[in-house]
Amino acid sequence: MAAAHEPVMLPEVVDLLGPARGGVFVDCTVGLGGHSRALLEAGATRVLGLDRDEAALAIARETLAAFGDRVELVHADYRDLGRVLDERGISAVQGALADLGVSSMQLDADGRGFSFRRDEPLDMRMDQSRGPSAAELLREVDEQELADVIFQFGEERHSRRVARAVVNARREAAIDTTGRLAAIVRRAVPHRGHQRIDPATRTFQALRIWVNRELDGLDAFLAEATRRLAAGARLAVITFHSLEDRIVKHTFRALQKADEGLRILTKRPAVPGDDELARNARARSAKLRAIERFA
């Protein structure tokens, strides 16, 4: 899995963070360890890696084993960054990265329930050790709340129809698998002619964001991460959908306005080049933004 995984926008991340000068770097969503490995190979003295997915951390440990005590991996949500740093007596870092969203490993691994490409238990949790699964949430959620979730997080204009179809279907039997949910959504969404994406795509995105609280506290995390930057250090953030990118963009602007020591480096987000997109189609929606503490 790790060998086949290609970290998104790797050269751009290394160039922005500048690990050649050494110091402590924090990978707030270490995933399979690809970005962290590149930072260490490029000169980072130490990398502290966080992830809430224990399966990903197990692979990252293998990926980064050769670097010994230059790496510390922690089972923690990126929003726990301040606590993790405080527990280790780290007041400032020389660079930080957050690669947001679901990883290729999570999409491809059996039994995680993120994808409708195969029929499996409807889980969707990035951290399977805590919180309710998507199936559990769908058993109890109110129809109006579900419609709001699908509209807000999936930008699905037929959210009311989908929510109504889900509530009606669960009266007959629990919606416990990805295949059953996808079939319900496909029947509920009107379609004419060729469709660019599967009708279930937006609803699955919305439920994943909802289950994992992906947007909750993102602005607070960005504020904490920039507060922890040493002079000359940078925070790079990769997003994969417009909702995340919008929060990052507006939060960076607010932080720069409130703190004269911060400077946004990406007036427009960097995006993958054609060569990367040819190798990795899943990178097509990635956007990279960065901010620097210069004083």
Side-chain angles (χ1 to χ4, degrees):
M1 182 74 71
H5 174 70
E6 180 179 351
V8 172
M9 302 186 72
L10 186 59
E12 293 87 345
V13 166
V14 173
D15 183 59
L16 272 170
L17 294 185
R21 67 184 185 278
V24 177
F25 289 73
V26 58
D27 189 340
C28 303
T29 50
V30 71
L32 306 188
H35 285 115
S36 288
R37 177 171 56 193
L39 294 174
L40 290 158
E41 289 174 344
T45 307
R46 180 184 172 201
V47 167
L48 178 64
L50 285 62
D51 209 289
R52 53 179 165 172
D53 188 331
E54 291 182 299
L57 283 174
I59 297 173
R61 288 189 184 96
E62 296 180 9
T63 302
L64 304 172
F67 297 98
D69 60 7
R70 292 175 61 196
V71 180
E72 182 182 0
L73 300 179
V74 184
H75 181 216
D77 192 297
Y78 65 84
R79 288 162 286 206
D80 293 330
L81 175 64
R83 174 185 61 79
V84 171
L85 293 177
D86 286 342
E87 289 175 350
R88 287 151 182 81
I90 300 172
S91 59
V93 299
Q94 279 64 54
L97 168 68
D99 181 357
L100 303 175
V102 66
S103 72
S104 295
M105 183 275 292
Q106 290 163 332
L107 287 171
D108 294 336
D110 292 336
R112 300 302 296 269
F114 287 104
S115 174
F116 48 74
R117 293 177 182 172
R118 55 186 174 272
D119 193 17
E120 61 186 20
L122 185 61
D123 192 319
M124 291 193 178
R125 289 174 297 172
M126 293 181 184
D127 184 349
Q128 292 185 300
S129 70
R130 64 183 67 180
S133 68
E136 291 169 331
L137 287 172
L138 287 181
R139 288 173 199 164
E140 302 294 337
V141 65
D142 173 80
E143 180 179 328
Q144 182 59 56
E145 181 183 357
L146 181 58
D148 291 344
V149 165
I150 296 170
F151 181 77
Q152 180 181 356
F153 297 151
E155 299 177 294
E156 171 58 75
R157 60 193 181 97
H158 301 294
S159 60
R160 293 181 184 276
R161 294 179 63 134
V162 173
R164 188 178 309 116
V166 167
V167 169
N168 288 337
R170 77 184 181 192
R171 294 193 183 105
E172 301 174 8
I175 304 170
D176 288 338
T177 68
T178 56
R180 176 159 158 74
L181 176 61
I184 293 166
V185 176
R186 288 171 184 142
R187 287 194 297 268
V189 175
H191 55 88
R192 300 181 183 86
H194 175 72
Q195 293 177 293
R196 188 174 60 85
I197 63 172
D198 190 290
T201 300
R202 293 187 177 91
T203 295
F204 268 67
Q205 173 184 294
L207 294 181
R208 190 202 78 220
I209 293 171
W210 182 43
V211 168
N212 294 289
R213 303 179 300 105
E214 291 180 33
L215 304 182
D216 294 358
L218 177 54
D219 53 350
F221 158 74
L222 296 170
E224 178 65 14
T226 55
R227 188 175 74 83
R228 297 290 185 147
L229 295 177
R234 295 171 172 181
L235 166 65
V237 182
I238 302 173
T239 62
F240 288 87
H241 56 75
S242 60
L243 300 174
E244 285 177 337
D245 182 61
R246 200 174 302 144
I247 293 173
V248 175
K249 177 176 69 173
H250 291 305
T251 303
F252 274 5
R253 287 177 179 174
L255 291 170
Q256 179 180 248
K257 185 176 180 179
D259 187 338
E260 294 181 353
L262 293 173
R263 172 173 53 213
I264 295 172
L265 300 174
T266 47
K267 292 184 179 180
R268 293 184 178 178
V271 296
D274 292 339
D275 289 346
E276 179 171 2
L277 292 177
R279 296 191 310 271
N280 181 13
R282 285 178 176 165
R284 64 185 180 276
S285 58
K287 292 182 179 180
L288 171 62
R289 295 185 185 271
I291 193 167
E292 177 184 40
R293 179 168 297 284
F294 62 90

